Amino acid sequence: MDREAAPRGTFAFLDDGAKKDVRRALLKAVAIPGYQVPYGSREMPLARGWGTGGIQITLSLLKPDDIVKVIDQGCDGSVNAVNIKKFYERTAGVEITTDTALATVVQTRHRIPEEPLTDRQILVLQVPYPEALREVEPSEAQTRRMHAEADYARMWLHLYEDIVRFGEIRISYRYPCTVNGRHVMDPSPIPRWDVPKLHMADALFLFGAGRERRIYAIPPHTRVEPLEFEDHRFRVEDFSGKSCARCGATDTFLDEILMPDGSQTHYCSDSGHCDKRRAGWKPC
Amino acid sequence: MNRNLTIEEHGAFRRILDAIAHPGRVQKLSDKISDLDGAALLFSRTLLDPETGFAVASSVRSDLASRIERTSGCRLVDLEKADFVFVAKPGTDGALDRIRRGTPDWPDASATVVYLVEALHEEGGDRSWSGPGIPGARFPKTEGLDPREWDLLGEANSTYPLGVDCFFLDGHGQIMAMPRSTRLDGGNR
């Protein structure tokens, strides 16, 4: 698209009132890391549950000179990611990339890019279920009280019961974390593999839940600690002995694919990173 | 709404967000603005609207207050009810006690304090800032603010997650922020 040709209509789609509401919530969210700030989620040209929380955050902060990457489960080419990118191109005239290193804003569903982010980048995560404690407490009034009192005993009990029953904590996605030593937070459905990337990072992480109208954040250089026991430490997925069939990577999160002959093969989940490596780029 | 004004606000918001994500970092609010009134008005336009109440403490000029009201459409309210409180030299003079700090259930129901100061520097201050957004420690320096204001802020933010988040705007159109998560140490050296 010709970036000089100014798109018509409101810049970045949302009306001023909606943007300011999201912006005020974002500043509160950054000031209280891991705490879920309520905001007035607006109707969007796609249904709630398709990333509206992330989209409203991105629209509130885009600048015309931004370079945006949108990924869905690690893939830049999914229908949903492509549609969201077109929407940003049309309404804000931004440039689109699949290269993590070139992006100023990365919007993602369920993955954090393999390539480390810098302090000049913002990662916007789409969140289906913002409340980490919902697993153990259905009542919103109760979970709000638990956060207010930093009473996370039932979450710990829930994890302990897992260990008693299965010999390990069986949470593979949405692994609960303590942020800044105070608030327990749902990191969105990223795999365990990605959770350590949130800890003391250089980039700013913003989380948007459109359906439940909540925004939360992890600033750079902030402690993010997965809940773990002395004798049952948090562990990431083990891919030892496996590698990506496309680029040969042994240091990335791999998707398991079942082949027609019944054998298993593995591919990088982060497609942009995989393509870059196939093109001869070497990670530092 | 004028598209260029909208784009200017988007740019300003990114600097505001960057400021609160990196407490103690000093930067221009906009490349086009190098005065305090311009910065205060652009900050207001970017964040305030008829949904928000603002108040002024101490010696904020009444003409600036009415321009903030006019450009952003926000409502002038009592200090105790304000979402945004603008403060000029020398400081709140103790009025910080009356500003909303949120509640245990809703710590976000708190005021944001905007200090209008003479000059901001990333170094040379006598208090160390540490916490989220700060690798190690920073020692920012603020000219044109009563040093006692820092003790009042320390007090207001002593029961995290309750507290107030602060922005500082200076005479060169620069911005710096201190969220409630920032820990202040020293100051009597």
Side-chain angles (χ1 to χ4, degrees):
Chain A
M1 179 178 144
D2 177 12
R3 296 183 72 202
E4 297 308 302
R8 294 215 303 276
T10 308
F11 176 79
F13 183 81
L14 288 175
D15 63 90
D16 278 352
K19 283 173 186 165
K20 289 181 186 184
D21 183 43
V22 170
R23 285 175 188 159
R24 291 191 298 259
L26 283 169
L27 298 179
K28 287 280 197 315
V30 174
I32 317 170
Y35 167 77
Q36 301 160 60
V37 181
Y39 78 107
S41 181
R42 303 286 170 113
E43 288 300 323
M44 296 293 297
L46 73 171
R48 291 206 172 111
W50 290 93
T52 52
I55 290 169
Q56 287 171 84
I57 290 176
T58 303
L59 289 173
S60 301
L61 55 74
L62 275 187
K63 307 193 312 251
D65 60 353
D66 269 322
I67 302 171
V68 182
K69 173 179 164 88
V70 181
I71 34 182
D72 188 344
Q73 300 266 34
C75 174
D76 293 86
S78 88
V79 174
N80 199 30
V82 170
N83 282 336
I84 293 171
K85 283 188 273 203
K86 280 186 187 151
F87 183 46
Y88 294 155
E89 269 183 312
R90 266 209 306 274
T91 59
V94 293
E95 202 176 316
I96 300 294
T97 186
T98 59
D99 187 342
T100 298
L102 295 178
T104 52
V105 177
V106 179
Q107 184 179 322
T108 175
R109 176 176 169 269
H110 303 188
R111 276 306 314 275
I112 294 176
E114 302 289 359
E115 212 172 325
L117 297 161
T118 69
D119 76 342
R120 294 280 157 221
Q121 295 178 300
I122 297 174
L123 188 74
V124 179
L125 293 102
Q126 299 166 204
V127 181
Y129 311 106
E131 181 52 77
L133 306 178
R134 197 61 72 223
E135 294 290 309
V136 298
E137 174 53 65
S139 150
E140 169 66 21
Q142 279 302 318
T143 51
R144 184 153 295 281
R145 183 202 58 78
M146 287 153 82
H147 285 296
E149 297 173 7
D151 170 10
Y152 297 121
R154 286 177 51 199
M155 193 74 206
W156 285 106
L157 184 64
H158 174 68
L159 300 179
Y160 177 73
E161 283 173 344
D162 245 18
I163 294 171
V164 169
R165 216 177 309 163
F166 307 109
E168 60 172 339
I169 295 173
R170 300 218 311 170
I171 303 169
S172 47
Y173 295 89
R174 298 178 59 204
Y175 196 98
C177 303
T178 304
V179 184
N180 191 29
R182 174 60 177 79
H183 283 96
V184 167
M185 185 200 92
D186 182 319
S188 89
I190 53 174
R192 289 181 181 211
W193 183 267
D194 288 343
V195 170
K197 297 175 185 169
L198 299 167
H199 176 67
M200 289 302 201
D202 289 332
L204 169 64
F205 302 98
L206 304 173
F207 297 80
R211 250 177 326 198
E212 303 210 21
R213 302 179 179 177
R214 293 285 184 271
I215 282 172
Y216 52 103
I218 302 172
H221 316 293
T222 299
R223 281 189 297 138
V224 179
E225 290 144 333
L227 272 61
E228 60 180 3
F229 294 94
E230 285 286 318
D231 52 350
H232 275 273
R233 292 289 180 199
F234 169 83
R235 282 189 325 221
V236 299
E237 293 82 354
D238 180 11
F239 296 116
S240 50
K242 301 178 178 122
S243 62
C244 172
R246 278 181 86 239
C247 73
T250 54
D251 59 350
T252 59
F253 184 79
L254 299 172
D255 286 332
E256 246 171 49
I257 311 289
L258 201 58
M259 301 307 275
D261 66 359
S263 68
Q264 272 186 358
T265 190
H266 295 85
Y267 292 113
C268 285
S269 145
D270 182 338
S271 63
H273 190 259
C274 190
D275 290 345
K276 219 165 147 174
R277 194 174 305 213
R278 274 169 54 101
W281 170 83
K282 294 274 185 294
C284 317
Chain B
M1 176 76 194
N2 179 318
R3 195 179 173 90
N4 290 338
L5 287 181
T6 303
I7 291 172
E8 191 183 15
E9 288 161 19
H10 276 258
F13 178 66
R14 282 288 275 284
R15 306 267 175 103
I16 295 168
L17 182 63
D18 200 58
I20 199 138
H22 301 273
R25 233 195 225 178
V26 177
Q27 59 192 313
K28 292 282 295 263
L29 178 59
S30 155
D31 295 334
K32 292 185 187 142
I33 290 175
S34 27
D35 68 302
L36 185 53
D37 285 17
L41 291 171
L42 178 57
F43 181 94
S44 310
R45 253 179 42 210
T46 305
L47 295 174
L48 278 60
D49 62 16
E51 304 284 306
T52 48
F54 88 110
V56 292
S58 73
S59 56
V60 174
R61 302 191 326 269
S62 59
D63 64 307
L64 180 60
S66 52
R67 282 176 74 199
I68 288 171
E69 203 171 5
R70 270 206 315 278
T71 46
S72 63
C74 60
R75 298 162 294 117
L76 199 50
V77 297
D78 292 343
L79 197 61
E80 291 83 358
K81 294 200 177 99
D83 301 302
F84 286 84
V85 178
F86 288 79
V87 184
K89 205 170 147 178
T92 54
D93 203 17
L96 204 60
D97 286 353
R98 294 161 43 206
I99 291 171
R100 292 160 66 214
R101 295 168 44 210
T103 65
D105 276 7
W106 304 98
D108 57 290
S110 58
T112 301
V113 186
V114 186
Y115 288 97
L116 309 177
V117 302
E118 285 164 18
L120 297 166
H121 307 277
E122 281 194 359
E123 284 160 10
D126 56 1
R127 278 177 181 73
S128 89
W129 292 26
S130 59
I134 306 170
R138 288 196 179 108
F139 294 83
K141 187 175 163 192
T142 316
E143 285 179 48
L145 188 68
D146 183 346
R148 282 174 304 183
E149 195 68 21
W150 298 106
D151 298 331
L152 296 171
L153 281 170
E155 183 58 37
N157 292 345
S158 60
T159 50
Y160 183 87
L162 275 62
V164 297
D165 309 312
C166 308
F167 288 94
F168 303 84
L169 301 172
D170 79 0
H172 310 286
Q174 299 187 110
I175 184 168
M176 176 177 86
M178 188 187 86
R180 70 194 70 186
S181 59
T182 299
R183 200 186 132 163
L184 296 175
D185 288 298
N188 303 318
R189 286 185 289 152

